[in-house]
Amino acid sequence: MIRILFYVLIVLALGAGFAWLADRPGELSLIWQGSRVEMSLMVAATLLASLIAAVLIVIWVIRVVWLSPHSISRYFRARKRDRGYQALSTGLIAAGAGDSALARKMTARTRGLLSSDQEPLIHLLEAQTALIEGKYDDARKKFELMADDPETRELGLRGLYLEAKRLGANEAARQFAERAADKAPHLPWATLAALDYRSQTGQWDEAIRLLDQSRASHVIDRKEADRKKAVLLTARATEKLEADPKGARDDALAALKLADDLVPAGLIAAKALFREDNLRKAASILEKLWKQEPHPEIARLYVRARSGDSALDRLKRASKLEALRPNNAVALAAVAESALEARELSLARAKAEAAARIQPNEGIFLLLADIEEADTGDDGRIRHWMNQALKSPRDPAWTADGVTSPEWLPVSPVSGRLDAFEWKQPVGQIAGPVEEGTLEAADAAIRSLPPVAVTHQRAEPEPQQAETPAKPKHVIETPEKTEEVVETTAVPGPSESVIVPEPVKVEKKPAPARTEEPVVEPFFGRPPDDPGVRDDSDKPLAKASFRLF
């Protein structure tokens, strides 16, 4: 377009010049070798322009004739190069599609039409063809040649890195990734791989420096870079916590600024602040994290912030957490644990059952078993809760790549990936019936709880009424007293109903006061370890009549 405009401007300038001469006529006289030539100025200008055009045409003709051999050779060379690029393109497409025969054919044709010095992609085509044919040694040699060439260094290093990962040579893969990251920090794959390897070896300072470089060059998204840097700072703070609590506190607080929902960072910051006796700031950090997402470790650290607190003080702190996030299973479980320690068993049972209805899992049913043991000591009810725990989903834990860890780790032990651990329910739990582990099943488990074992209290002696029907009993006589012990019989049914007899009148003989152990009747008829049948043949039996309810 610019050339056309240039030519148009030249034509306009010539036309303007001739028009200017036509408006200003004149005569031109020329004496040459004794001859006098006279002509008008317009004719002279036309002859001069024609002479210049003729000279240019002659020069062009001479140049075309002189350069014709080179032009012809260049034409055939360009045609050959076009055919070579066409074969190279077809070969790369065939290699990507897995057509090894066509890829090998196009590789040979490309070699005949193009030179590898002029086109480095020929090495890539040969390496890809060797890979799909299973000739990994040949492919590795090609990648090494490409890694030595400055023009194809990054491509060769990536090929070597992928081959090392395929063979499981992690150290070689790390070296290739480090080399690529140093030479070309703008490559995302090299930066992320080097970052993971430095994190696996605990080189937190080097990993943070590499991450800052990648963020400056816009290789990694800002949000992702902030998250990864927060994880790295938390990992470094974890290592510093014992030897340098102040440095751990600074790193953990910096991590919270980058990712305010990172629970491990908040825990490390709170622990460091507790060691500095800064309870108020530590509690504020834990409360802020708790409001975002309740976590059992936050509750445990918050409740036991001060080692000198009593059980009732810890219960008050747990109740404060519940007030921040009401109707939450984790908060209810924290209150139930603290209430159990404070021996507030009714409160502990109510909170634990509410948590089980919201989020039934293994831990909450085990907690109910502990509460049952402390409250009633009934083995049958304890086994009921233990059975529910076996059938319920497992508690959430720090999980990465199918592996659980008792504590948070910055790097996955399986894949070596940074920031892989998540707080979630582990996979691979034992499968049960469809209804187990659901909210309806938890509510049904609570409603189907066996009744508490009946403990008979001694009543004041009263004259026995004649119209009261006799109850099934055995009369046990001792030197001190006469006591009637009621036997029960379990009635089979879907809800395992139990026959609970009415209270029986007991007669006592005057005797010195003596404390006796109450007789407990389990809900299923006999104690867990059956002592056998009692021999009461020598005792008089009263006339019996049974009542179901």
Side-chain angles (χ1 to χ4, degrees), residues 310-541:
S310 64
L312 290 177
D313 293 334
R314 291 196 292 269
L315 177 58
K316 291 179 181 178
R317 296 179 68 85
S319 301
K320 184 177 180 181
L321 288 181
E322 185 192 5
L324 294 177
R325 284 298 296 266
N327 297 326
N328 182 270
V330 180
L332 293 171
V335 176
E337 291 179 3
S338 301
L340 176 60
E341 294 179 1
R343 309 306 294 176
E344 298 287 343
L345 300 180
S346 59
L347 176 63
R349 183 186 297 275
K351 297 297 183 181
E353 290 182 354
R357 288 187 173 95
I358 295 175
Q359 185 179 349
N361 52 38
E362 181 182 7
I364 195 63
F365 286 116
L366 292 177
L367 178 59
L368 280 167
D370 293 337
I371 296 172
E372 198 68 56
E373 182 179 7
D375 189 8
T376 64
D378 192 330
D379 292 337
R381 295 169 67 90
I382 295 172
R383 283 196 297 269
H384 173 79
W385 293 126
M386 298 289 287
N387 184 34
Q388 294 300 322
L390 289 175
K391 297 187 295 183
S392 299
R394 296 173 59 186
D395 294 341
W398 290 112
T399 307
D401 300 323
V403 176
T404 59
S405 174
E407 58 184 9
W408 176 83
L409 296 175
V411 180
S412 170
V414 178
S415 61
R417 183 165 50 92
L418 183 65
D419 190 24
F421 276 92
E422 298 177 352
W423 183 258
K424 62 181 182 180
Q425 181 181 340
V427 297
Q429 67 180 49
I430 300 176
V434 177
E435 69 274 4
E436 292 178 359
T438 61
L439 302 181
E440 293 78 5
D443 189 66
I446 295 174
R447 286 187 282 102
S448 64
L449 181 67
V452 180
V454 179
T455 303
H456 292 285
Q457 303 293 336
R458 300 184 185 88
E460 293 297 330
E462 294 180 1
Q464 188 172 3
Q465 298 179 4
E467 65 274 12
T468 303
K471 303 296 185 298
K473 59 184 176 179
H474 292 286
V475 179
I476 303 174
E477 297 182 359
T478 62
E480 296 80 12
K481 61 184 179 180
T482 301
E483 184 175 344
E484 297 176 352
V485 182
V486 179
E487 294 182 348
T488 59
T489 304
V491 178
S495 59
E496 298 184 1
S497 302
V498 180
I499 302 176
V500 182
E502 295 181 352
V504 184
K505 306 299 181 180
V506 179
E507 295 183 0
K508 288 187 178 180
K509 294 182 179 181
R514 180 179 177 184
T515 305
E516 292 291 338
E517 294 294 330
V519 179
V520 179
E521 298 181 2
F523 69 92
F524 44 75
R526 293 188 182 278
D529 299 324
D530 192 355
V533 180
R534 209 167 30 234
D535 187 10
D536 295 328
S537 58
D538 55 343
K539 306 296 186 298
L541 266 186

Side-chain angles (χ1 to χ4, degrees), residues 3-47:
R3 295 180 61 182
I4 296 175
L5 182 61
F6 180 73
Y7 289 140
V8 170
L9 291 177
I10 292 178
V11 172
L12 290 176
L14 291 175
F18 281 107
W20 184 79
L21 290 177
D23 293 338
R24 293 165 179 81
E27 295 292 334
L28 180 64
S29 298
L30 177 63
I31 299 174
W32 186 54
Q33 293 184 357
S35 300
R36 183 184 180 90
V37 178
E38 294 181 355
M39 64 185 70
S40 63
L41 187 58
M42 179 62 70
V43 174
T46 303
L47 291 176

Side-chain angles (χ1 to χ4, degrees), residues 146-327:
M146 297 169 66
D148 294 334
D149 188 357
E151 190 175 2
T152 58
R153 180 187 294 116
E154 292 80 9
L155 183 58
L157 289 175
R158 177 164 175 77
L160 293 173
Y161 169 77
L162 294 177
E163 280 299 296
K165 292 287 288 183
R166 184 185 63 82
L167 296 175
N170 294 326
E171 181 61 25
R174 183 190 66 80
Q175 293 180 4
F176 293 134
E178 292 279 358
R179 184 178 168 188
D182 292 338
K183 297 294 183 181
H186 59 277
L187 295 176
W189 71 267
T191 300
L192 294 177
L195 185 64
D196 289 342
Y197 285 121
R198 293 179 184 181
S199 301
Q200 292 172 20
T201 55
Q203 303 177 22
W204 310 120
D205 296 335
E206 295 296 326
I208 292 174
R209 181 183 61 84
L210 179 61
L211 186 61
D212 291 338
Q213 293 178 354
S214 303
R215 180 177 177 179
S217 57
H218 303 286
V219 175
I220 304 178
D221 182 67
R222 180 179 179 180
K223 186 176 181 180
E224 182 182 0
D226 289 343
R227 176 72 182 187
K228 290 184 179 296
K229 187 174 182 180
V231 172
L232 293 174
L233 288 172
T234 304
R236 190 170 67 178
T238 304
E239 290 187 353
K240 290 182 179 180
L241 182 60
E242 298 298 332
D244 185 13
K246 185 176 180 180
R249 178 202 63 193
D250 295 338
D251 286 343
L253 292 177
L256 285 176
K257 291 181 180 179
L258 296 173
D260 57 356
D261 60 342
L262 187 58
V263 173
L267 295 176
I268 295 297
K271 290 178 181 178
L273 290 170
F274 284 151
R275 296 189 179 187
E276 297 176 358
D277 293 332
N278 194 347
L279 300 180
R280 179 173 298 178
K281 187 173 182 180
S284 175
I285 291 174
L286 294 178
E287 289 174 0
K288 183 178 179 181
L289 283 174
W290 180 265
K291 290 178 182 178
Q292 294 183 4
E293 184 62 33
H295 197 281
E297 295 183 9
I298 298 177
R300 194 174 300 113
L301 183 60
Y302 185 85
V303 170
R304 302 180 182 276
R306 292 179 295 194
S307 58
D309 286 348
S310 64
L312 290 177
D313 293 334
R314 291 196 292 269
L315 177 58
K316 291 179 181 178
R317 296 179 68 85
S319 301
K320 184 177 180 181
L321 288 181
E322 185 192 5
L324 294 177
R325 284 298 296 266
N327 297 326

